[in-house]
Amino acid sequence: MGLAGRPHTVISLRPGTAVRFSTNLYHRTWHVLSDQHGARVLARLLWGLSYQSRPGTIVVIDREFVTTTPFDGDPADPIVLVPAWDTPFTGRHARALKARLPLSSAPEGTVRWRTHGLDEALTAPRAWFREHEDRDDPLRGRVENLNGLVVLRVHTPHEMREWAVLSGMLNPHNKYGTDHSYLGEGMCFYASGEVQVFRDFRRDVSVARRARADVLDGLEAPVHPDVLRPLVWDRADRLKR
């Protein structure tokens, strides 16, 4: 499709793929939220794109695969993976892409997504990072929101593979039921992005959605989101108990 006057190849997940993501902003950091399966799908998208990118190529995780947040039922934004080394992506591009969403259910073709080497990297991620540390790259990617799209903008193929391993190594099957990795540079002590996974992601999404509906049904007038969210959290806690 044409975006900001230039042709782009927009790649998306195959319709019906059994994966869900959500997004939110917390502590100045944009979060990509999912379960372990979702994090590994994200890892494969990043790893494959690091090798297969061509100028004008982006990957979009569209509305079919984006659900409300597992905390308070807030709506989430579509996700865009951008290989910044060969594909510029500005606010103008984001506006043009957002206007074309949701993507057509009749794509022009399919891509064989190759992720050779990722499984081996994920069997021993710490060893992979030691072996592939890049001390010569001063650029670091960022995660930001552009016109209602959460954009993972990665500066080099090597950095994109780092982000893939950071996502794919996450395991929420611990006593906390969650795990996370930071992505990119941010301001002060905060990273600009984070991938966070939850053991009960889909259950938490369902509970938060029901809690939000219960709270809204009991309100006599609209309230500010900062007032609404604590009410939803409290209701969700009671539903879980």
Side-chain angles (χ1 to χ4, degrees):
M1 66 175 63
L3 299 176
R6 292 182 176 273
H8 286 71
T9 300
V10 180
I11 298 171
S12 64
L13 292 168
R14 188 181 296 275
T17 301
V19 65
R20 293 295 180 271
F21 298 90
S22 191
T23 60
N24 78 333
L25 177 66
Y26 185 68
H27 282 169
R28 309 183 200 175
T29 298
W30 282 101
H31 291 68
V32 175
L33 312 167
S34 191
D35 52 18
Q36 187 176 33
H37 173 61
R40 291 184 174 177
V41 170
L42 179 62
R44 294 201 178 278
L45 292 174
L46 289 164
W47 188 275
L49 185 59
S50 76
Y51 286 105
Q52 299 184 88
S53 175
R54 300 292 185 272
T57 300
I58 57 175
V59 173
V60 176
I61 300 175
D62 200 3
R63 289 289 183 192
E64 179 183 351
F65 311 103
V66 176
T67 188
T68 51
T69 69
F71 314 117
D72 36 47
D74 275 348
D77 295 322
I79 301 164
V80 185
L81 312 183
V82 176
W85 62 91
D86 62 12
T87 301
F89 195 83
T90 65
R92 186 182 172 200
H93 293 89
R95 281 192 299 273
L97 176 60
K98 185 74 177 293
R100 302 286 292 273
L101 300 182
L103 295 173
S104 169
S105 59
E108 296 180 5
T110 60
V111 176
R112 184 179 297 276
W113 207 250
R114 302 184 184 277
T115 57
H116 303 305
L118 177 59
D119 289 334
E120 181 180 358
L122 293 179
T123 59
R126 296 184 187 280
W128 184 89
F129 276 107
R130 285 195 299 269
E131 182 179 352
H132 295 85
E133 183 179 8
D134 188 353
R135 297 185 176 90
D136 298 326
D137 178 19
L139 295 175
R140 304 304 296 174
R142 287 188 57 82
V143 181
E144 58 191 331
N145 193 295
L146 286 180
N147 294 300
L149 302 175
V150 175
V151 178
L152 280 64
R153 186 195 311 277
V154 194
H155 278 291
T156 68
H158 178 268
E159 183 182 38
M160 188 167 276
R161 289 191 281 276
E162 288 184 338
W163 287 23
V165 176
L166 286 170
S167 177
M169 67 188 284
L170 295 178
N171 184 357
H173 298 283
N174 52 50
K175 65 179 181 178
Y176 303 108
T178 184
D179 198 4
H180 67 277
S181 288
Y182 296 114
L183 304 177
E185 290 187 338
M187 298 178 64
C188 300
F189 300 104
Y190 299 102
S192 63
E194 181 177 325
V195 179
Q196 187 172 14
V197 296
F198 301 89
R199 181 176 55 226
D200 299 315
F201 174 75
R202 296 199 181 210
R203 184 207 66 173
D204 292 345
V205 167
S206 178
V207 169
R209 190 176 293 162
R210 178 181 165 189
R212 187 184 185 94
D214 289 351
V215 170
L216 291 174
D217 285 344
L219 294 176
E220 296 180 356
V223 297
H224 191 276
D226 290 344
V227 176
L228 175 64
R229 290 187 185 108
L231 298 175
V232 176
W233 300 337
D234 180 66
R235 177 61 180 156
D237 284 342
R238 283 185 277 130
L239 288 173
K240 289 178 182 179
R241 288 197 298 268

